[in-house]
Amino acid sequence: DAGVIQSPRHEVTEMGQEVTLRCKLISGHNSLFWYRQTMMRGLELLIYFNNNVPIDDSGMPEDRFSAKMPNASFSTLKIQPSEPRDSAVYFCASRAKRTGTEAFFGQGTRLTVV
Amino acid sequence: GNSVTQMEGPVTLSEEAFLTINCTYTATGYPSLFWYVQYPGEGLQLLLKATKADDKGSNKGFEATYRKETTSFHLEKGSVQVSDSAVYFCALSAQVSGYSSASKIIFGSGTRLSIRP
């Protein structure tokens, strides 16, 4: 199994530009989490999908952030417009059908907004 | 609400020393508990887990016991190695209010561990 695949691994963009981060889940997994990691705030849960439906988006910072699951194996996190304070490492993680089991993380996307 | 509090770092030890990283949690119901490890430039990897009270998770010499009475899940290792240097995260899987079959995973702030040769 290839594991959770994120792209791109690194993204540098200018303030005001749209940024799209991508995530491919492990085959057969039905839960998807997006996290943001910074030195100041640690690892924050942004949004959680279960069976393609957003269950908890209370961690999404503001309307500039949006996330979708167009199908069961793929998700995007979009920031529009981007700001320097969005600079962070963004992780997605997927989990198998049973609740209470662990999530498997991708390698992350390091986003720098200049 | 649901939360995880873990020992602040950084923690620096000599090789072969005993390690404890404290973790306590607040949760409704009966969460599953996890320790994850993150090496530089990588994503998080599951180190061990426990799904019910008194369960002991173990892996690679690390252990943690699910203590419901003290709401704790402390990570221990008897003899650390330089290769154990990483950031360690305690986490719980908490049911989402209003969804009986959905649970989100919440992480503590992480503890950076450095081992001196």
Side-chain angles (χ1 to χ4, degrees):
Chain A
D1 197 324
V4 175
I5 300 173
Q6 292 188 245
S7 63
R9 288 295 309 277
H10 302 275
E11 177 79 31
V12 180
T13 191
E14 291 185 349
M15 183 173 64
Q17 296 298 306
E18 177 180 296
V19 175
T20 299
L21 311 181
R22 296 174 174 78
C23 175
K24 184 175 186 300
L25 285 69
I26 293 172
S27 177
H29 284 195
N30 74 327
S31 291
L32 183 282
F33 305 87
W34 280 102
Y35 291 91
R36 177 172 68 177
Q37 186 176 37
T38 61
M39 289 293 292
M40 292 298 295
R41 302 167 77 103
L43 197 62
E44 303 172 274
L45 176 62
L46 300 178
I47 188 167
Y48 158 43
F49 289 88
N50 195 42
N51 293 322
N52 301 6
V53 175
I55 300 297
D56 187 335
D57 65 354
S58 58
M60 294 287 263
E62 49 199 272
D63 291 347
R64 297 185 297 108
F65 285 68
S66 62
K68 294 182 180 179
M69 280 198 75
N71 58 57
S73 60
F74 185 73
S75 177
T76 59
L77 178 68
K78 186 177 293 185
I79 308 173
Q80 166 64 21
S82 57
E83 297 182 3
R85 60 193 169 117
D86 301 330
S87 298
V89 181
Y90 291 81
F91 290 101
C92 71
S94 71
R95 184 176 65 190
K97 287 180 174 9
R98 284 189 303 112
T99 59
T101 56
E102 65 271 23
F104 294 81
F105 278 74
Q107 295 281 68
T109 295
R110 181 175 294 278
L111 173 66
T112 303
V113 183
V114 297
Chain B
N2 301 301
S3 65
V4 177
T5 302
Q6 65 180 100
M7 178 173 169
E8 285 199 21
V11 174
T12 303
L13 297 172
S14 297
E15 203 165 22
E16 299 184 3
F18 184 85
L19 168 70
T20 300
I21 301 178
N22 290 337
C23 171
T24 58
Y25 67 90
T26 302
T28 54
Y30 303 95
S32 294
L33 301 174
F34 311 94
W35 277 100
Y36 280 80
V37 59
Q38 184 180 31
Y39 298 102
E42 297 186 11
L44 280 72
Q45 305 171 26
L46 180 71
L47 180 59
L48 53 84
K49 68 178 181 181
T51 58
K52 61 182 187 299
D54 300 325
D55 267 3
K56 178 185 284 188
S58 61
N59 185 27
K60 300 181 182 178
F62 291 89
E63 293 183 340
T65 301
Y66 190 143
R67 301 286 188 201
K68 187 170 180 295
E69 64 275 13
T70 55
T71 61
S72 65
F73 193 55
H74 304 320
L75 182 68
E76 296 181 336
K77 186 174 185 181
S79 176
V80 293
Q81 306 300 313
V82 171
S83 57
D84 294 327
S85 299
V87 181
Y88 292 81
F89 292 89
C90 186
L92 65 81
S93 179
Q95 185 175 332
V96 177
S97 178
Y99 294 88
S100 61
S101 62
S103 62
K104 60 185 180 182
I105 301 179
I106 297 168
F107 286 83
S109 56
T111 302
R112 182 174 299 277
L113 174 66
S114 296
I115 307 300
R116 293 188 298 255

